[in-house]
Structure formats: C-alpha cells, structure tokens
Amino acid sequence: MKRLSPKKKVLLIDKNNKVAVGNTAKSAALYRNLFSSQTSQNLANSSISYYESIADKISMKELGYFWMFSGEDYQKSKTGLNKLDAKKDRFEILSVEDMPENLKINTTESDEFSEVESILYGHRCGSLSAIKLARNYATQFQKLGGEIQVHVEIKKINLTNSDQFFPSWKDISMKSITDQNGVNYIAEDFIFAIGAWTQSMLAPIGIASQIYPQKRQMFTLKIKPDQIALDTKQRIPILILPTGGVYIKPVLQNSLIMVGSANELGNPYQMDTNPPTAEEGYFKNAIEPVLNHYFPQLKDYSLFSKWAGYYAYYWPDKNPVIEKISNIQWVSGTSGSGIMKADAIGRIAAARDLDLETIELFDKTKFQVADLSLKKRNVDTEELII
Ligand SMILES: Cc1cc2nc3c(=O)[nH]c(=O)nc-3n(C[C@H](O)[C@H](O)[C@H](O)COP(=O)(O)OP(=O)(O)OC[C@H]3O[C@@H](n4cnc5c(N)ncnc54)[C@H](O)[C@@H]3O)c2cc1C
C-alpha cells in the first residue's frame, strides 16, 4: 500500500510485542509451487519468485518436496498433475523403484498404511524463515514511512451506528477501534489481517467471514540420523508420507526431524485455548504409528519440542479471502499456505484497498483482485492435496 500510494498514512498495529509472532511464528514455513489450481499457482509462483530474489535474507533453502503417493491416491491426483508442466514447474514423477537408496523408507503397505507407488519430486519447494520474511516486509514498510505500534489489542470495533436498532437506510461505516487501554484509533479505512481471529472479531459487527480457526500441531524429534538415511550428509528433501498427511522436515545435521500432520474431520473449527497446546496424545495416536510404519529403523527417539497454532481456514476452496464492505477490509483464510503465498496476498490486498481491478504480481502475472473476494469469487478447485 505504501509503495502504490506513498502519501497514504498507514499504521500497523498488533496485540503482540513484535510483528509476526502470531501463527506466522508457529508455521513449518515450508513452500511449494506444486498446486493444480491456477489461483494457487499464481499466488505461490509469484511469491516464491520474490522470495528467491531475497533468498539469503530469509534463509530460503530449496530442499525439494518428496511427495509419496499410494497407487490409488496417485490415480486421483493425476488430473491435477496433468495441469502442471514438468519442465516449467520443475518436478519429476518417480516410481517406487527410483526411490533413492539413501532413504531408509519402507515402501510396502500394511492393514492401515498405504504402499508407496509413485513420488512427485518437486524441486522448487523447500523452507524459509517466516519470521525473517515478515520482518523484511516490516522494515521495507517503515522505510516507506509506514508506522508500527505493538502491544495494541483491538478490544472493540466502533461503527458509526453503535446499536443494533440503527435505521437500515443510513450508511454505516467503521469509525474507530478501541484498544485494551481505552485508546481510540480513528482512520478512513481499516484492514483486518488477523488470520485465525477473523471470524470472532468480525462476526459481532455483522460480517460473515466464513473463516474459522483450526488447530495444527508440530513436533520435533531428536533422532539418530542414520536410522533415516544411509549418508546423513546428503541433502534430504521434505518428505510427505502417503498416509495421514504426515510430513517431515529433516534437519539431520542437528539430529532432528520436524513432523506435522493434516487432520480435518474430527478436528474442531474453534479456538479452545490461546495459545493452543500441542498434545503428546495426538503425536502418539496420529503421527507416531505412521512414522513407525514408514521408518521401521527409527527407534529410541525423544520428543525435543512441540507447539501448536491455528490455521485460518476458508473451507470451501482453501484459498485466501480478500473482501471489503464499507471501509472494512479483511485479508485472511490462508488455510495453511499463507507463508508461501504471502507476497501475492499482500499485493492483492493493497490493490483491493486502492480499488484497483487488477494488480501485477512480482513475476508480472496479472491478477483479478475480485477473484479472491467472497461476492465475486473465482477460484478453481485444488486437486493436489496433502
Ligand atoms: C502448525 C502450522 C504449520 C504451518 N505450516 C505452514 C507452512 O509450512 N507453509 C505455509 O505457507 N503456511 C503454513 N502455515 C500457515 C501460516 O502460518 C499462516 O497461513 C500465516 O502465518 C498467516 O499469517 P497471518 O498474518 O494471516 O496470520 P498471523 O500470523 O496469525 O497474524 C495475525 C496477527 O493478528 C494479530 N491479532 C489478532 N487479534 C488481534 C487483536 N484483537 N488486536 C490486535 N492484533 C490482533 C495477532 O497478534 C497476529 O500477529 C502453518 C500454520 C500452522 C499453525
């Protein structure tokens, strides 16, 4: 916004003591360009291009994704894969016979766990530091004259009509917010980029954002690296196992692996505690059996650390929502891929605020701003789902 409209006075507030210590700091901060939906491709590809231009500053590591499929799941993903171009999108399809000998993975099935039949090996995928990335934007924003105030928690949104009996023929807008100390912040426009807190903040003022929080947990294990790979000095990609959406980021030089999993049905869409806790019971039930099956040699490991955060889920298509009513805009619904798409989301959100119809993303792709709105949404279905 400051770049497109330098004279605009922009104040960024956050309830925490720093920027980017909300769910951004809880993420695995992995990125991938492999999506079948055109929307996701545009958002991720252009963001990754920007990140590549500042790779050293944000500790970006192109580790690759080693995405393993059972025979059945591979068939289901084929329509999605056919929308990608192996050369342009930099991936290979391997069969189980091509499994690198270095990896000590059991590729056979059991009653509960699927076999590994095919592997989508994506090269333009990896990890970065989400905190460094967010701080990089914060610094650029301040250099352009943007202001940041932390420790400011929005406690109340003040509309021009404050009671529920307002006459509906009169225009309503937002005039201010009140923080925890009773201080009012008045502005012409308000943009809520509050991730998992969107619905609870906006529902009371009559906005149905349809974005819900869902807890996701991460566990780091101290392991003996030679139980995962023969040569532990070789670069190991991020491993996505064929069952339970379990993914592993190996940090073998530190004898660690970071493990997460995708659990949806049965996992409530609500914020129970804040901050949320990662539960060992979840690790034991939903992750450990999968690890034990695919890495039978992995033994005597210990839980090194654990944490949990909230996805801000827009359930229908799991892509971000950028919508505005009156002078109130919200940017959320990043659904677990908000880091890898952040650069594009920021540009589109700025364009929405400035009432632009299209915006050029970092890689020069033209994006229709309304495509991420709710009212004129135009997002195609994703067929490559972890
Ligand atoms: C376990 C886990 C793993 C993930 N892994 C990945 C991954 O590998 N790759 C990826 O791309 N994405 C991943 N994500 C998703 C990613 O973290 C989010 O998409 C992204 O961080 C969303 O950023 P955000 O700025 O919208 O939200 P947040 O980072 O949550 O920021 C919202 C901000 O709003 C502030 N706020 C809220 N309420 C108020 C209030 N009342 N007053 C003032 N301030 C307020 C909060 O303090 C916070 O700083 C993961 C998420 C989790 C939980």
Side-chain angles (χ1 to χ4, degrees):
M1 272 166 61
K2 280 300 288 179
R3 200 171 43 81
L4 293 176
S5 178
K7 289 201 177 125
K8 215 172 168 84
K9 278 182 79 183
V10 187
L11 171 67
L12 169 69
I13 61 168
D14 200 296
K15 65 180 174 182
N16 288 319
N17 60 352
K18 287 183 200 139
V19 295
V21 293
N23 286 304
T24 294
K26 308 282 178 60
S27 79
L30 305 177
Y31 70 88
R32 60 169 159 131
N33 64 332
L34 299 176
F35 291 95
S36 69
S37 123
Q38 191 59 52
T39 313
S40 291
Q41 280 182 26
N42 289 343
L43 300 178
N45 276 322
S46 65
S47 300
I48 295 170
S49 297
Y50 173 65
Y51 305 157
E52 285 164 346
S53 77
I54 53 160
D56 289 346
K57 279 191 194 167
I58 57 168
S59 307
M60 187 175 190
K61 295 189 186 74
E62 201 180 68
L63 299 167
Y65 261 38
F66 214 65
W67 191 342
M68 292 167 252
F69 292 89
S70 65
E72 195 186 333
D73 285 346
Y74 183 66
Q75 287 310 318
K76 282 192 210 150
S77 300
K78 259 189 158 169
T79 338
L81 283 170
N82 288 342
K83 294 183 183 159
L84 295 172
D85 175 335
K87 205 162 167 216
K88 191 170 110 298
D89 298 310
R90 295 183 49 213
F91 71 89
E92 300 164 64
I93 305 287
L94 309 179
S95 78
V96 66
E97 288 80 41
D98 307 317
M99 177 70 83
E101 280 172 16
N102 190 34
L103 286 174
K104 293 182 172 174
I105 295 188
N106 169 25
T107 57
T108 63
E109 66 181 331
S110 71
D111 284 353
E112 268 191 299
F113 303 113
S114 316
E115 79 289 359
V116 180
E117 195 224 58
S118 303
I119 301 146
L120 169 59
Y121 188 10
H123 297 285
R124 202 177 180 214
C125 308
S127 70
L128 51 82
S129 162
I131 295 177
K132 286 185 186 165
L133 176 65
R135 300 233 164 105
N136 168 68
Y137 286 119
T139 310
Q140 286 190 51
F141 171 63
Q142 285 172 309
K143 275 190 190 150
L144 292 170
E147 267 187 71
I148 300 180
Q149 280 184 27
V150 289
H151 274 313
V152 179
E153 177 162 9
I154 305 168
K155 286 290 188 189
K156 194 162 170 281
I157 296 176
N158 306 306
L159 299 179
T160 46
N161 282 286
S162 54
D163 63 48
Q164 286 184 14
F165 309 114
F166 56 81
S168 56
W169 61 91
K170 289 197 175 165
D171 279 345
I172 299 182
S173 60
M174 191 172 151
K175 61 176 185 212
S176 64
I177 52 135
T178 308
D179 76 3
Q180 74 278 20
N181 299 316
V183 177
N184 283 330
Y185 292 74
I186 299 162
E188 272 172 32
D189 293 314
F190 295 84
I191 303 182
F192 290 87
I194 52 171
W197 293 269
T198 307
Q199 177 74 3
S200 61
M201 174 75 72
L202 298 182
I205 61 161
I207 292 176
S209 73
Q210 300 171 55
I211 294 158
Y212 301 103
Q214 192 180 52
K215 186 160 106 172
R216 287 297 159 105
Q217 312 183 32
M218 301 289 315
F219 301 87
T220 310
L221 307 181
K222 193 90 188 162
I223 58 149
K224 295 195 175 74
D226 61 358
Q227 294 177 348
I228 296 260
L230 281 175
D231 177 357
T232 58
K233 297 226 160 43
Q234 262 188 44
R235 200 188 69 169
I236 312 276
I238 288 143
L239 305 168
I240 297 136
L241 299 174
T243 305
V246 173
Y247 59 91
I248 302 174
K249 180 185 168 189
V251 197
L252 295 191
Q253 66 277 21
N254 298 342
S255 305
L256 294 172
I257 54 171
M258 207 167 97
V259 197
S261 140
N263 56 326
E264 290 196 3
L265 193 61
N267 184 7
Y269 280 104
Q270 65 189 36
M271 241 184 220
D272 44 9
T273 53
N274 194 19
T277 46
E279 289 138 305
E280 244 178 285
Y282 174 71
F283 174 75
K284 293 255 172 253
N285 283 326
I287 295 182
E288 196 169 40
V290 185
L291 281 183
N292 289 343
H293 174 80
Y294 292 103
F295 293 96
Q297 301 188 39
L298 189 62
K299 300 237 157 53
D300 306 323
Y301 48 83
S302 58
L303 197 55
F304 180 74
S305 65
K306 61 184 172 72
W307 68 92
Y310 288 107
Y311 275 16
Y313 243 123
Y314 179 66
W315 199 74
D317 59 42
K318 301 190 179 81
N319 251 307
V321 173
I322 297 175
E323 186 52 287
K324 191 173 180 181
I325 177 162
S326 179
N327 62 344
I328 309 166
Q329 188 178 326
W330 60 102
V331 184
S332 184
T334 49
S335 312
S337 51
I339 310 291
M340 59 186 99
K341 296 175 181 168
D343 188 80
I345 297 170
R347 288 169 202 265
I348 300 162
R352 183 74 185 91
D353 178 68
L354 300 170
D355 293 324
L356 305 178
E357 278 181 19
T358 55
I359 183 75
E360 198 176 87
L361 302 180
F362 181 77
D363 65 357
K364 310 268 180 234
T365 305
K366 294 257 188 316
F367 198 94
Q368 291 291 328
V369 175
D371 284 357
L372 292 184
S373 70
L374 287 177
K375 288 185 200 136
K376 297 185 183 163
R377 196 162 183 83
N378 180 19
V379 171
D380 51 337
T381 317
E382 181 55 56
E383 279 143 323
L384 285 176
I385 299 162
I386 293 180

